[in-house]
Amino acid sequence: MRLTLIAAAASLAFLAAPTFAQAQSAVGNWQREDGTSRIRVAPCGSNLCGTVTWTNTPRLDERNPDPALRTRSTV
């Protein structure tokens, strides 16, 4: 009887324990709210990196600090 009571109390304590929400991952494909571009977020070493995969107004990388790369597409 006492063992049953202890088991029931342990079960209730386990069920009543708070549960913690898991953080959502940022990894995946994301689109801006206005629909003007899409970005892929993926692991990059111990960080996350974002890559523009599509844009409705393709542009050149005119502000790149390396002048040799300023004529490439931002996509």
Side-chain angles (χ1 to χ4, degrees):
M1 172 81 169
R2 184 174 181 159
L3 186 58
T4 305
L5 187 58
I6 292 172
S11 296
L12 283 175
F14 177 75
L15 293 174
T19 57
F20 297 97
Q22 292 182 353
Q24 292 184 342
S25 174
V27 173
N29 294 307
W30 296 86
Q31 179 171 303
R32 289 183 54 139
E33 283 186 26
D34 61 6
T36 58
S37 62
R38 295 183 190 134
I39 299 157
R40 179 178 51 241
V41 177
C44 183
S46 61
N47 298 312
L48 294 175
C49 293
T51 304
V52 177
T53 58
W54 177 86
T55 179
N56 66 348
T57 53
R59 298 181 183 178
L60 297 179
D61 194 7
E62 296 170 340
R63 296 183 183 178
N64 194 306
D66 182 348
L69 299 176
R70 292 180 184 164
T71 58
R72 71 180 180 172
S73 174
T74 56
V75 178

